Amino acid sequence: MEISKEEILRIANLADLEIEDSEIEEYALNLEDILNFANIVNNAPVEDLEITIGANQKKNIFRKDEINIFEDNEALLQNAPSKELNMFKIPKVL
């Protein structure tokens, strides 16, 4: 598929890109490659293929939501850069 200079400039304008005249040819070639590949994918034979929803048959595995009491708070806080009232102290976020 051939892309004209005007089409490249129009697309660049829509994307709010500033491209040099010397770059237009390179952009056109790259866009042609992308569109040619998309055309190949669109025309791939898929008549005899099975419908698939996912790549594998795995399902979500959920665990029971349980509360576990952690007894050793000092060990938990020993590497904290700052702590206050037996809790992590973090900067205020507004």
Side-chain angles (χ1 to χ4, degrees), residues 6-89:
E6 291 77 22
E7 288 173 311
I8 293 295
L9 292 173
R10 181 176 172 274
I11 293 168
N13 184 43
L14 290 172
D16 198 25
L17 296 175
E18 294 180 18
I19 59 174
E20 304 291 327
D21 286 338
S22 60
E23 298 175 312
I24 293 175
E25 182 68 27
E26 183 180 351
Y27 277 97
L29 292 174
N30 289 335
L31 188 55
E32 286 175 17
D33 286 344
I34 293 168
L35 293 174
N36 287 335
F37 181 74
N39 193 33
I40 290 170
V41 171
N42 283 337
N43 293 325
V46 294
E47 291 81 27
D48 296 328
L49 298 177
E50 291 182 29
I51 295 175
T52 58
I53 295 174
N56 57 42
Q57 298 299 320
K58 292 184 180 181
K59 307 275 188 238
N60 288 336
I61 300 171
F62 297 103
R63 64 177 173 82
K64 188 175 179 181
D65 193 13
E66 298 175 342
I67 298 173
N68 295 324
I69 305 299
F70 189 77
E71 299 291 337
D72 194 2
N73 285 342
E74 281 303 315
L76 181 65
L77 294 169
Q78 72 182 1
N79 292 325
S82 182
K83 54 188 167 185
E84 185 177 294
L85 300 173
N86 209 26
M87 295 180 282
F88 288 96
K89 184 177 180 180

